[in-house]
Amino acid sequence: MKILVTGGGGFLGNAICRDLRRAGYDVRSFQRSFAPRLSAHEVEIYSGDIRDKAAITKAAQGCGAVIHTAAKAGVWGSARDYFQTNVSGTENVLAACRESGIGYLVHTSTPSVVHTGVDIAGGDESLPIADHFAAPYPASKAEAEAMVLGANCPALKTVALRPHLIWGPNDPHLLPRLIKRAKSGRISLPAADKLIDTVYVDNASSAHLTALEALRSGRDCAGKPYFITNGQPLMQGDIIIRLLRAAGLDNVQIRRLSPRVARTIGAVLETVWTVLRLSSEPALTRFSAEQLSTAHWFDCSAAHRDLNWKPQLSIEQGLDMLKQSTALPDLIRDG
């Protein structure tokens, strides 16, 4: 079977393409620009924009399943851009699946769809989708997830995964942000002692492959969402310091910041950036302050039960692999 991976040139998508090839699948990647790393995996590459229905439909032809990771992520940006990519783009993927007779769709969602600004401790899939959001990213991802799960039917079996805070070698998102903020030797956190979950990138990738196999084998997972984490909740300050140490930044200190102050700063900076129409990203937003001020860790027993998935690499093993990564010198220099 040939598998189409949208966003295959991205951080998670690249790992999924690699692991699919290792599992013996033919793989086609659809992404906006050429990704040299995919060539090493012998992946067929289609370039295009997920917002272009014709382009994604062409890429889907001849495939038997889709793993949809392509998305606009982040904490700041135009709501229009987020919804065009994450919602309209997902609509295009669903249309391509139907037109090409594709039977299986694994969708990458996010735990942010259930976050309401308060602590989540051991939350499971019974948590309702939030009714308000502090940023367009989780709002658009919530709409996209609902669309994918609502499309589940005998002809197109769908499942949504919610990996939480993915990290690892070649991470272009979480680690560079942490490094940038820690260059002064200090990093401010409003809730350093709150527990949070993360997931090593190889574990997030394996969850997508396992979900695809679960759909194909008829396991009771179609039409459902699943939280995906390493199952090792740690204090926020602890995991951040350990990630920074693995990146070669020792002796970084945590500075305490009031959660109320953090949320106020986020709201003020958003207003300033909006009024002045600044193109850069604020150092803090309402969404990032909300995330940094709360606990968010999850019960993954449903994924263990329904998908037969468990993380294969511990946080400690992932940190060792991150420390050995050849990409770290560039991260530290450019962060």
Side-chain angles (χ1 to χ4, degrees):
M1 177 186 286
K2 180 172 289 186
I3 313 298
L4 174 64
V5 180
T6 71
F11 179 42
L12 173 62
N14 181 78
I16 291 172
C17 287
R18 176 202 65 200
D19 291 346
L20 284 169
R21 289 294 297 136
R22 289 176 177 174
Y25 287 103
D26 291 329
V27 182
R28 179 180 293 165
S29 174
F30 180 85
Q31 70 244 359
R32 286 175 298 178
S33 56
F34 179 68
R37 287 185 297 164
L38 289 177
S39 300
H41 307 318
E42 298 181 343
V43 171
E44 185 180 6
I45 298 174
Y46 275 53
S47 295
D49 193 316
I50 199 74
R51 297 172 295 182
D52 183 343
K53 182 180 177 181
I56 187 63
T57 298
K58 181 179 179 181
Q61 292 175 359
C63 294
V66 175
I67 297 180
H68 178 37
T69 75
K72 178 175 174 59
V75 299
W76 182 250
S78 160
R80 181 173 179 269
D81 289 345
Y82 277 100
F83 278 84
Q84 281 190 340
T85 300
N86 297 344
V87 178
S88 297
T90 299
E91 284 180 330
N92 291 339
V93 170
L94 286 168
C97 286
R98 296 184 183 109
E99 184 169 326
S100 301
I102 290 172
Y104 309 101
L105 172 61
V106 179
H107 173 68
T108 308
S109 186
T110 169
S112 299
V113 301
V114 301
H115 200 275
T116 59
V118 298
D119 290 343
I120 297 176
D124 63 19
E125 289 76 10
S126 66
L127 287 171
I129 299 296
D131 58 8
H132 67 278
F133 298 96
Y137 170 67
S140 62
K141 291 296 285 184
E143 188 170 334
E145 180 187 287
M147 188 186 310
V148 168
L149 297 181
N152 179 67
C153 65
L156 177 61
K157 296 180 180 179
T158 69
V159 66
L161 303 186
R162 299 168 175 172
H164 191 46
L165 293 177
I166 306 171
W167 57 272
N170 301 305
D171 169 15
H173 304 299
L174 177 62
L175 197 55
R177 288 174 183 271
L178 290 177
I179 289 172
K180 183 177 181 179
R181 284 158 175 72
K183 280 294 187 70
S184 66
R186 294 191 304 176
I187 191 165
S188 298
L189 290 176
D193 58 342
K194 296 274 190 178
L195 291 178
I196 65 169
D197 260 328
T198 65
V199 61
Y200 185 65
V201 63
D202 289 4
N203 292 330
S205 173
S206 72
H208 285 73
L209 272 67
T210 304
L212 175 59
E213 288 302 316
L215 285 178
R216 293 186 64 194
S217 63
R219 294 179 70 94
D220 185 21
C221 63
K224 298 179 182 180
Y226 293 93
F227 291 111
I228 301 295
T229 79
N230 248 71
Q232 297 174 267
L234 296 172
M235 288 191 296
Q236 186 174 168
D238 183 20
I239 184 60
I240 287 175
I241 289 297
R242 293 174 72 176
L243 285 169
L244 290 171
R245 285 176 179 165
L249 290 179
D250 297 317
N251 303 316
V252 176
Q253 297 181 338
I254 299 294
R255 187 181 73 169
R256 303 283 176 170
L257 179 68
S258 161
R260 179 177 295 179
V261 170
R263 295 184 189 223
T264 300
I265 292 173
V268 169
L269 290 181
E270 282 196 19
T271 301
V272 171
W273 256 246
T274 300
V275 170
L276 297 181
R277 298 183 179 180
L278 299 176
S279 59
S280 59
E281 180 182 298
L284 198 64
T285 66
R286 289 180 300 128
F287 178 58
S288 57
E290 182 180 274
Q291 293 286 305
L292 290 169
S293 299
T294 55
H296 30 99
W297 58 278
F298 302 90
D299 178 355
C300 293
S301 59
H304 302 166
R305 179 190 68 239
D306 295 351
L307 307 180
N308 195 29
W309 173 83
K310 289 187 178 181
Q312 299 301 305
L313 294 170
S314 67
I315 285 179
E316 292 72 23
Q317 290 171 310
L319 289 170
D320 286 341
M321 296 177 74
L322 180 61
K323 189 173 183 179
Q324 297 167 20
S325 171
T326 57
L328 285 178
D330 291 335
L331 274 178
I332 295 170
R333 183 180 65 248
D334 301 333

